[in-house]
Amino acid sequence: GAVVSQHPSRVICKSGTSVKIECRSLDFQATTMFWYRQFPKQSLMLMATSNEGSKATYEQGVEKDKFLINHASLTLSTLTVTSAHPEDSSFYICSAFPGTSGGLQYFGPGTRLTVL
Amino acid sequence: QQQVKQSPQSLIVQKGGISIINCAYENTAFDYFPWYQQFPGKGPALLIAIRPDVSEKKEGRFTISFNKSAKQFSLHIMDSQPGDSATYFCAASMGNTGKLIFGQGTTLQVKP
């Protein structure tokens, strides 16, 4: 089946630093990638939609200057959490949408971010 | 109109029993309804999905029942096993966008 990877799987950083998370579709091309955030015992909340070669579309309430998204190719999207603070600590998950099979999309394994 | 409401929040079932999780939606433009299973610290994994032109879909022990007129769909897990203990999310999307709206999640515990 289609595989989506995320790197790193876990990161701990100091408050004020920036962290980059990569999302790759390993065996297919993704016209769209989605970024989600999940707090403990809660559902996935969509942060932004990223299309290759264009600016990301952010959901209401998500700071675009804080969560920078780049979708440089059909297999790679990156999320950079800038000037991270403890409240940004969360589980970040990406999904890759081939756009060729209805709504079917594939999720990455997630990245656990802890900001000290 | 974009919400997907899921119930129950948590569920405890004996091994071998049937687990049933329900979801309801408002937006009739949704045309793709997947169910995901998530284990702690992992990303969600697709279990089974349905489109509104069918009323039921079965894959192994997992069945989706879909009621278009009531705008409801449910997941049935037959012969529930302890390994099924996880959090389950329903979702809905308009297929051409891929944008998923998730339900609140149900934590299932299957007791041996």
Side-chain angles (χ1 to χ4, degrees), chain B residues 25-48:
Chain B
Y25 64 97
E26 288 295 325
N27 190 343
T28 55
F30 289 144
D31 61 1
Y32 177 71
F33 302 89
W35 284 90
Y36 290 89
Q37 178 189 58
Q38 186 180 31
F39 293 103
K42 306 293 184 183
L46 178 67
L47 266 180
I48 186 171

Side-chain angles (χ1 to χ4, degrees), chain A residues 5-41:
Chain A
S5 69
Q6 277 185 245
H7 178 79
S9 58
R10 186 180 295 268
V11 57
I12 301 172
C13 69
K14 292 182 178 180
S15 185
T17 60
S18 294
V19 174
K20 180 185 283 188
I21 302 170
E22 290 187 350
C23 177
R24 291 182 185 273
S25 56
L26 299 185
D27 50 3
F28 66 98
Q29 293 185 328
T31 57
T32 303
M33 288 185 174
F34 298 95
W35 286 95
Y36 297 85
R37 174 174 191 174
Q38 186 178 34
F39 290 108
K41 299 190 184 301

Side-chain angles (χ1 to χ4, degrees), chain A residues 32 34 36 38 41-46 49 59 91 93 95 97 101-110 112, chain B residues 9 31-32 36 38 41-46 51 87 89 93-105:
Chain A
T32 303
F34 298 95
Y36 297 85
Q38 186 178 34
K41 299 190 184 301
Q42 293 190 20
S43 188
L44 286 79
M45 295 300 296
L46 180 65
T49 302
E59 295 299 303
F91 193 50
I93 308 170
S95 73
F97 178 56
S101 52
L104 181 61
Q105 59 189 268
Y106 304 93
F107 281 82
R112 173 74 60 194
Chain B
Q9 185 176 354
D31 61 1
Y32 177 71
Y36 290 89
Q38 186 180 31
K42 306 293 184 183
L46 178 67
R51 300 190 190 281
T87 301
F89 293 97
S93 77
M94 285 173 279
N96 60 340
T97 69
K99 184 175 175 179
L100 287 170
I101 306 299
F102 279 87
Q104 294 82 358

